[in-house]
Amino acid sequence: MSRSIAIGATLTLVFLGLAALSFIYTPYDIQSFDIPNKLHRPDATNWLGTDHFGRDILSMIMLGARTSIAVAVLAVGIGICIGVPLGLLAAARRGSLLDELIMRGNDLVFAFPSLVIAILITAIFGPSAINAIIAIGIFNIPVFARLSRGAALPIWERDFILAARVAGKSSLRISIEHILPNITNLMIVQGTIQFSLGILAEAALSYIGLGAQPPTASWGRMLADAQTLTSIAPHTALIPGMAIVLMVLGLNLLGDGLRDWLDPRIRIART
Amino acid sequence: MTHFTKLLSASVLALTASIASAQTSITVAIQLEPPNLDPTGGAAQAIDSVLYSNVFEGLTRFMADGSVVAGLAQSWEISDDGLTYTFMLHDGVTFHDGTTMDAEDVKFSLDRARSDDSINAQKGLFADIADVTVVDPLTVAVTLSQPNGMFLFNMAWGDAVIVAPESIDTIASNPIGTGAFTFTDWVQGDRLELTRNESYWGQPAALETATFRFISDPTAAFAAVMAEDVDAFVGFPAPENLPQFEADPRFQVLVGNTEGETILSMNNKMPPFDNVLVRQAVSLAIDRQSIIDGAMFGYGTPIGTHFAPHNPDYVDLIANSTYNPQRARELLAEAGFADGFTTTLKLPPPSYARRGGEIIASQLRDVGITAEISNLEWAQWIEEVFNGKDFGLSIVSHTEPMDIGIYADPEYYFQYDNPEFQALMDTLNATTDPTTRSALLADAQTTISEDYVNGYLFQLAVPTVAKAGLNGLWLNQPTAAVDLTGVTWSE
């Protein structure tokens, strides 16, 4: 296992751990504001200081991690659950009109800048975490559809697929039993990368007020709230900013490392 | 002379030129850009901010301290029955296009504002006018259908400025008034420029040119002032940055009061807010001071009713809704909501609303009320809350002066319908005696405070950050105006 996997996995696990811990424990209750205690620097009572409403920033980061991860996981989930079957279907019916329809449809979604679509969707249906998930999920679909089709096409040419066909298996069964297991590694790697993009997209949407709504904690909104406070209380902006950076960095390192580790060609070359 | 020294001396020349001109020009930033430039045909405050007194003038006008003094009318006589106001106009007043301002223009402006198809945002100001007669070119008589103690005050509003029939068709893009500045250019989305009116009838302005810039983003506002891109920012959007400007010798900070009663408005027709016990519970569940501290960083004066505390007729009714969450829970139980309820809290963009909303939602949660926050842009807010009346709670600052009369309009967005209060307002409008008026106003303030129509939070403060050496800016905002006619630079 490479160093990037180790660092990436550690960072990711730390944030996953914080998010999991927040279900049973946070140092302070962020729902009740303590305004006389606002904008305290990090100290022994509030390890990461307090924000403009006197809320404990560590607790906010923990709950914000939960929001970010939940949004990103569900958004990637939408992408995989819709994108992969579409890609497999296109690969199974390669060259047909259906294949064309699916892939050109994907191109259409791909052609729009993803964040612009997300802003459009949340602007039409109203800002909420659910709509952010749907918005981010929609632009994950073509990523997985293209990737799975591209990965599946060469496998369809392989001899064992021919054998399966001769044995009378339908395209559907071949896709599920033979193609899918062979592209899973690739999907995991891509999933990790999309996961980090999802975290970024959630933070961006929350930053402009279109993501999770208060009182739900969100890193992007913490940043937006701290925007005018940077000169008097820099920690209010630095801490959520660092959280986003570290989480995304961790996921990218993990994804990179996993690709090297799981890719059979590189693995063979290494041995 | 080498090329270099030529360049150098040229730039030194340019520099001295710009220093010299800096003494007679000003760049003022405000948050919102006016949607059009017709103060008699648009509700947006930003129109008045830019044009009131600078470009347009009325028969009377507001001074910086909120007093109403003579404007285009140099004097007036009021008949004994209080029904006829005869205004004597200043002689030699011309509009910026050269046409004369006379009694015909006054008649035109008032008739236009009160006509049936008028798009004036404050038609109520003109409701009592029965007839406007031109006596001679410099005298105009206004007859009222009933005595109105507020008439001279009403005529000072930005919505009652005098316009000319010759230029009315293009007023929205090319405003022609009688003021000390003429309109020069408007680059939409960026700036609006004014130039000194050299043939002004009164005391001419000290500044030769003035530029308004529109910066709504608090971070950009901070950067623009810090970098000295603007000479003054009226209505600075981020109160948390003010201490920094105060500590900086380059700047002066003026924190004035406004006519902006900031309230937690409740939809009085929508259950459960149709129940006075629920409204009282909401009012008691709110801790004003923490909202002032948390949302406004301490800038703001607590209020207990819909009236400006700096007004002599203000009655301190804060005790009616002192923070008492325990009592709020009891009241909710009494009203049949022992388990609380869920409602909406729709917030427009200003930070008093967005931050105040989060604090209020947290305080309401303490007594069992779940307020679901949705953040709206101004256009959405106008559509959903103000026109659509589709809201449970909202936070907004009512910046019109002396606007307690909105409680007499059952169609107004918070839909308070109390016939007694409406009768009280009718009596008030028909009363001219100052002592009786004070007593009636006190009654009105007490009625809405004890009916807990809305949650009364605080009087909005208006912070102005200006460069040191700039004099004559208004401290307070008795009406939305950035009056530059008296602004000067000291050496």
Side-chain angles (χ1 to χ4, degrees), chain B residues 111-122:
Chain B
D111 284 349
R112 176 172 170 268
R114 67 196 183 95
S115 69
D116 288 339
D117 58 349
S118 160
I119 52 163
N120 198 295
Q122 300 288 345

Side-chain angles (χ1 to χ4, degrees), chain B residues 370-445:
Chain B
T370 309
E372 289 169 349
I373 290 178
S374 47
N375 292 336
L376 306 178
E377 294 306 314
W378 271 122
Q380 287 174 299
W381 187 87
I382 297 278
E383 187 188 316
E384 286 181 29
V385 178
F386 195 77
N387 294 333
K389 302 176 181 87
D390 173 21
F391 72 107
L393 299 169
S394 180
I395 299 176
V396 74
S397 201
H398 289 257
T399 51
E400 293 83 8
M402 282 294 291
D403 54 355
I404 197 167
I406 55 181
Y407 286 77
D409 177 5
E411 295 298 307
Y412 203 64
Y413 78 106
F414 47 72
Q415 306 187 88
Y416 175 58
D417 193 353
N418 178 353
E420 282 170 39
F421 186 86
Q422 288 153 23
L424 187 61
M425 278 294 119
D426 286 341
T427 320
L428 177 72
N429 286 338
T431 309
T432 43
D433 174 52
T435 328
T436 325
R437 283 186 63 86
S438 288
L440 289 168
L441 280 170
D443 269 0
Q445 293 175 54

Side-chain angles (χ1 to χ4, degrees), chain B residues 342-355:
Chain B
T342 300
T343 187
T344 55
L345 175 55
K346 298 195 169 177
L347 304 173
S351 64
Y352 66 74
R354 293 282 168 89
R355 283 188 181 147

Side-chain angles (χ1 to χ4, degrees), chain B residues 88-402:
Chain B
M88 270 64 78
L89 305 177
H90 274 285
D91 196 4
V93 179
T94 55
F95 284 98
H96 299 149
D97 60 358
T99 55
T100 322
M101 197 290 300
D102 57 22
E104 289 292 344
D105 295 301
V106 175
K107 179 175 167 56
F108 169 78
S109 301
L110 296 183
D111 284 349
R112 176 172 170 268
R114 67 196 183 95
S115 69
D116 288 339
D117 58 349
S118 160
I119 52 163
N120 198 295
Q122 300 288 345
K123 281 182 85 166
L125 298 177
F126 313 96
D128 288 339
I129 300 181
D131 184 47
V132 184
T133 326
V134 175
V135 179
D136 65 56
L138 291 177
T139 312
V140 63
V142 180
T143 312
L144 305 184
S145 51
Q146 56 174 334
N148 183 336
M150 298 296 284
F151 185 67
L152 291 172
F153 175 86
N154 289 353
M155 289 301 104
W157 281 49
D159 304 82
V161 294
I162 302 304
V163 293
E166 292 88 350
S167 52
I168 200 68
D169 292 339
T170 54
I171 186 172
S173 59
N174 183 24
I176 303 283
T178 53
F181 289 94
T182 57
F183 166 80
T184 319
D185 192 20
W186 179 23
V187 182
Q188 292 200 15
D190 181 36
R191 63 180 193 277
L192 187 146
E193 287 168 5
L194 304 177
T195 315
R196 180 163 69 194
N197 176 7
E198 300 297 346
S199 53
Y200 183 55
W201 59 272
Q203 169 81 31
L207 299 167
E208 279 173 13
T209 57
T211 307
F212 279 92
R213 288 188 56 201
F214 313 108
I215 305 172
S216 55
D217 179 63
T219 320
F222 178 71
V225 177
M226 265 294 166
E228 302 187 31
D229 289 343
V230 298
D231 299 316
F233 203 119
V234 179
F236 189 78
E240 57 270 37
N241 294 136
L242 294 178
Q244 250 181 306
F245 291 120
E246 272 169 356
D248 193 327
R250 291 181 296 160
F251 304 109
Q252 50 177 332
V253 176
L254 314 166
V255 180
N257 51 41
T258 66
E259 296 300 316
E261 292 84 16
T262 309
I263 62 172
L264 173 69
S265 33
M266 301 187 226
N267 195 336
N268 279 243
K269 283 239 170 80
M270 181 204 252
F273 299 111
D274 53 351
N275 185 337
V276 66
L277 293 174
V278 172
R279 297 200 301 265
Q280 187 181 357
V282 169
S283 299
L284 295 185
I286 299 166
D287 177 13
R288 291 187 184 86
Q289 197 55 46
S290 72
I291 297 165
I292 295 173
D293 289 343
M296 300 305 293
F297 286 73
Y299 297 98
T301 317
I303 52 170
T305 183
H306 197 107
F307 216 73
H310 51 85
N311 190 304
D313 290 329
Y314 174 72
V315 185
D316 187 343
L317 295 163
I318 292 173
N320 278 342
S321 46
T322 313
Y323 179 50
N324 189 346
Q326 186 49 42
R327 180 84 189 108
R329 277 182 220 109
E330 289 166 21
L331 285 164
L332 279 179
E334 213 177 304
F337 293 97
D339 300 328
F341 57 89
T342 300
T343 187
T344 55
L345 175 55
K346 298 195 169 177
L347 304 173
S351 64
Y352 66 74
R354 293 282 168 89
R355 283 188 181 147
E358 283 195 61
I359 299 171
I360 285 176
S362 141
Q363 291 173 350
L364 290 179
R365 203 177 301 117
D366 278 348
V367 300
I369 302 171
T370 309
E372 289 169 349
I373 290 178
S374 47
N375 292 336
L376 306 178
E377 294 306 314
W378 271 122
Q380 287 174 299
W381 187 87
I382 297 278
E383 187 188 316
E384 286 181 29
V385 178
F386 195 77
N387 294 333
K389 302 176 181 87
D390 173 21
F391 72 107
L393 299 169
S394 180
I395 299 176
V396 74
S397 201
H398 289 257
T399 51
E400 293 83 8
M402 282 294 291

Side-chain angles (χ1 to χ4, degrees), chain A residues 14-33:
Chain A
V14 164
F15 283 108
L16 284 175
L18 281 178
L21 182 62
S22 75
F23 281 97
I24 49 166
Y25 170 80
T26 53
Y28 292 88
D29 173 19
I30 66 152
Q31 306 295 0
S32 57
F33 298 177

Side-chain angles (χ1 to χ4, degrees), chain A residues 41-62:
Chain A
R41 297 289 154 104
D43 58 22
T45 16
N46 301 95
W47 290 1
L48 297 179
T50 59
D51 73 353
H52 60 294
F53 290 145
R55 290 176 293 191
D56 178 51
I57 292 184
L58 178 60
S59 310
M60 299 272 291
I61 290 287
M62 291 170 68

